[in-house]
């Protein structure tokens, strides 16, 4: 059973339950809207009208109208958010807590003054506790029916490629060799379209600025709009996410000690949309599969090491293969190859180093993961550090732990494309039947 399905400790407690957290997203955001005096006044003037302006389920609205905190919790509400709703109604926290326990405010206050509710007689049900402990053991064995990683795609995400696509310039002599290099890839994707792409990319100061600099961002939302990077949003479809699989991955990776920032709302820029256009073409009304965005900070130092990214990829495969639904997943690593966009070395390209990187990515990924930051900067330019993101996708392949093999389906390299060397690789993942999902 998937971790996020078993890790429910007590009814009404959602802090350990990612499924409930996703369920209550809009409810909790409604509560946050009440943090301004203007919105509080609008809500109190006509509660029903204010609630109807939000994409809430009727059960969520009714719980709030009935002042039923327990029902609101069952509908995904989190007490720290709901407290703001209670404050808007003029309720003290003791009144809210008392209402959830069936006690009057004074009765609840007297209980707390007397030392609080004792743990004896209020312990978690034994069966529920054992199920939670079993989930906490994080058994790496895959369920009988589970998600699989079918392959990895590695590609540059040059913004000018998106512009060439959007303005019909793909047949021009300068651009034609680039797009010819992806003709096989588009045919391969048509025959091997996954259910979900876990797409590793870096935001380019579109969704994140210097006020917040997260190292790893997992997109857990249902959809993501295309960012305006200064020239208007690219004329491509928005992204449909997979909140359930993303929540499962979040549980698994965080419990494997990878600190993630979970984001339900963000715009996605060329780092994500250009790879999709290259692999699926520029004439699509809707992307043919769901996409889970995974942003890696390679813009503001300090940035994660290649070794850290490689280990994250290994943990990602364990997370995917413990998901109890028969979902086909591809992992894409994007960015690079060699390029420098700043300073006296702007325009730097290193063909020899790039191709050696591609060789080692196939043949010696563990050794490649040990390359220090300074080598990327020295040999591949200051922005060549984006290549550490490819190691997440490579670490997710089954040959890394000996439980399967990979097959090189396509390899392509070209310079220049605007300011960047373009590299591209497709690996099919072939786990051996009967092998454990992850070897300890």
């Amino acid at each position: 059973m998937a971790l996020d399905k078993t890790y429910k400790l007590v009814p009404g407690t959602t802090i350990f339950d990612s499924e409930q957290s996703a369920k209550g997203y809009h409810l909790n955001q409604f509560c946050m809207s009440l943090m301004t005096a203007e919105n509080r006044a609008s809500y109190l003037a006509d509660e029903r009208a204010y609630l109807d302006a939000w994409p809430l389920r009727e059960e969520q609205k009714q719980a709030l109208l009935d002042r039923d905190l327990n029902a609101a919790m069952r509908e995904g509400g989190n007490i720290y958010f709901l407290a703001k709703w209670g404050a808007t109604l003029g309720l003290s926290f003791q009144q809210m807590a008392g209402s959830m326990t069936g006690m009057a405010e004074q009765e609840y206050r007297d209980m707390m003054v007397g030392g609080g509710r004792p743990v004896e007689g209020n312990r978690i049900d034994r069966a529920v506790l054992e199920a939670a402990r079993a989930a906490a053991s994080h058994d790496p064995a895959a369920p009988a029916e589970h998600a699989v990683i079918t392959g990895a795609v590695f590609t540059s995400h040059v913004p000018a490629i998106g512009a060439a696509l959007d303005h019909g310039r793909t047949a021009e002599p300068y651009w034609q060799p680039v797009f010819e290099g992806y003709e096989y890839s588009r045919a391969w994707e048509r025959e091997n379209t996954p259910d979900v792409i876990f797409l590793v990319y870096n935001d380019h100061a579109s969704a994140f600025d210097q006020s917040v600099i997260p190292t790893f961002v997992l997109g857990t939302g249902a959809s993501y709009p295309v960012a305006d990077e200064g020239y208007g949003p690219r004329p491509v479809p928005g992204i449909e996410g997979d909140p359930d699989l993303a929540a499962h991955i979040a549980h698994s990776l965080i419990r494997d000690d990878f600190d993630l920032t979970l984001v339900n709302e963000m715009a996605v820029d060329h780092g994500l949309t250009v790879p999709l256009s290259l692999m699926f073409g520029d004439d699509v009304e809707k992307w043919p599969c769901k996409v889970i965005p995974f942003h890696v900070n390679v813009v503001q130092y300090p940035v994660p090491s290649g070794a850290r990214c490689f280990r994250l990829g290994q943990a990602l495969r364990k997370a995917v293969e413990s998901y109890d639904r028969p979902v086909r997943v591809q992992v894409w690593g994007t960015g690079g190859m060699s390029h420098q966009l700043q300073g006296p070395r702007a325009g730097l390209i290193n063909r020899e180093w790039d191709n050696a990187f591609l060789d080692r990515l196939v043949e010696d990924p563990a050794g490649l993961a040990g390359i220090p930051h300074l080598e990327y900067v020295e040999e591949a330019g200051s922005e060549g550090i984006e290549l550490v993101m490819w190691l997440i996708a490579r670490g997710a392949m089954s040959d890394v732990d000996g439980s399967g093999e990979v097959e090189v389906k396509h390899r392509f390299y070209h310079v220049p494309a605007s300011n960047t060397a373009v590299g591209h690789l497709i690996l099919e993942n072939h786990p051996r039947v009967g092998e454990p999902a992850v070897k300890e």
Side-chain angles (χ1 to χ4, degrees):
M1 186 175 290
L3 300 177
D4 54 320
K5 305 297 185 187
T6 59
Y7 210 50
K8 299 178 182 179
L9 296 187
V10 286
T13 297
T14 60
I15 195 167
F16 297 120
D17 187 341
S18 59
E19 182 183 17
Q20 282 287 94
S21 179
K23 179 181 180 182
Y25 171 66
H26 291 297
L27 173 58
N28 292 319
Q29 289 299 94
F30 150 79
C31 295
M32 291 297 292
S33 77
L34 300 175
M35 292 181 67
T36 69
E38 181 181 359
N39 285 348
R40 286 194 293 271
S42 296
Y43 175 64
L44 292 173
D46 190 337
E47 291 185 29
R48 183 74 208 200
Y50 192 96
L51 290 170
D52 285 343
W54 283 80
L56 302 175
R57 291 184 300 280
E58 188 59 36
E59 294 84 357
Q60 293 174 320
K61 297 176 186 179
Q62 198 60 51
L64 297 175
L65 292 169
D66 292 342
R67 309 291 192 258
D68 189 340
L69 273 163
N70 283 329
M73 296 282 283
R74 288 194 299 273
E75 287 298 319
N78 179 299
I79 190 59
Y80 292 103
F81 294 88
L82 287 167
K84 302 181 190 311
W85 165 77
T88 297
L89 298 174
L91 301 174
S92 70
F93 196 85
Q94 290 180 342
Q95 285 176 298
M96 289 185 278
S99 73
M100 289 187 286
T101 61
M103 303 172 74
E105 179 185 7
Q106 187 61 50
E107 185 183 5
Y108 183 87
R109 182 180 294 126
D110 291 344
M111 178 190 73
M112 295 308 301
V113 169
R117 190 182 303 279
V119 67
E120 295 304 329
N122 291 284
R123 293 191 178 275
I124 300 168
D125 177 85
R126 183 60 52 184
V128 173
L129 186 61
E130 290 303 318
R133 284 174 175 162
S137 70
H138 206 16
D139 184 353
E145 185 177 61
H146 62 87
V148 294
I149 293 176
T150 59
V153 171
F154 308 85
T155 182
S156 303
H157 58 213
V158 185
I161 290 177
L165 282 161
D166 301 341
H167 296 286
R169 299 174 59 190
T170 59
E172 293 180 2
Y174 181 85
W175 287 110
Q176 189 175 19
V178 174
F179 295 103
E180 284 180 350
Y182 286 83
E183 287 181 2
Y184 172 89
S185 308
R186 288 189 288 274
W188 181 84
E189 276 293 356
R190 285 193 294 272
E191 296 178 0
N192 299 276
T193 305
D195 300 302
V196 183
I197 296 169
F198 187 92
L199 202 155
V200 184
Y201 76 110
N202 65 288
D203 176 78
H204 301 79
S206 299
F208 304 107
D209 58 25
Q210 290 190 316
S211 62
V212 177
I213 307 175
T215 300
F216 296 122
V217 172
L218 176 64
T220 49
S223 62
Y224 309 91
V226 178
D228 184 342
E229 299 183 63
Y231 305 95
R234 286 193 64 214
V236 296
I239 306 302
E240 180 184 1
D242 190 331
D244 193 79
L245 176 56
H248 174 84
I249 290 172
H251 263 275
S252 187
L253 290 183
I254 290 172
R255 290 168 65 187
D256 268 340
D257 296 329
F258 286 94
D259 300 321
L260 307 181
T261 300
L262 308 183
V263 175
N264 287 302
E265 292 184 4
M266 64 179 174
V268 292
D269 68 13
H270 72 267
L272 185 141
T273 63
V274 166
L276 290 172
S277 294
L278 282 169
M279 297 299 291
F280 294 119
D282 60 343
D283 186 23
V284 292
E285 295 183 1
K286 179 181 179 181
W287 301 116
C289 58
K290 297 179 179 180
V291 178
I292 296 176
F294 191 82
H295 156 79
V296 180
N297 170 44
V298 288
V299 173
Q300 295 287 331
Y301 275 80
V303 304
S305 68
R308 180 75 167 159
C309 290
F310 189 61
R311 290 194 298 271
L312 193 152
Q314 293 172 278
L316 172 64
R317 184 163 71 91
K318 182 166 65 172
V320 169
E321 291 180 346
S322 64
Y323 186 59
D324 61 349
R325 299 182 189 177
V327 177
R328 296 165 300 157
V329 179
Q330 286 179 10
V331 185
W332 291 14
T334 74
M337 292 188 88
S338 63
H339 62 301
Q340 179 148 335
L341 304 178
Q342 54 189 295
R345 295 205 312 162
L348 184 146
I349 299 289
N350 189 337
R351 296 171 182 256
E352 182 179 358
W353 194 90
D354 285 344
N355 280 286
F357 184 95
L358 289 169
D359 290 340
R360 294 188 71 186
L361 190 68
V362 176
E363 300 163 3
D364 180 29
L368 184 64
I371 292 178
H373 289 154
L374 283 177
E375 182 172 336
Y376 286 97
V377 175
E378 172 69 16
E379 298 292 342
S382 54
E383 281 66 55
I385 192 65
E386 289 179 348
L387 286 167
V388 298
M389 296 187 290
W390 291 30
L391 291 162
I392 295 177
R394 188 62 181 93
M397 298 294 97
S398 59
D399 67 318
V400 169
D401 64 4
S403 63
E405 299 174 348
V406 295
E407 178 183 359
V408 178
K409 301 300 293 185
H410 184 54
R411 176 170 169 167
F412 172 68
Y413 182 80
H414 175 79
V415 293
S418 184
N419 300 293
T420 309
V422 171
H424 176 39
L425 188 68
I426 297 175
L427 298 180
E428 283 189 355
N429 192 45
H430 300 295
R432 283 191 287 274
V433 177
E435 290 284 341
V438 175
K439 290 185 176 182
E440 289 298 299

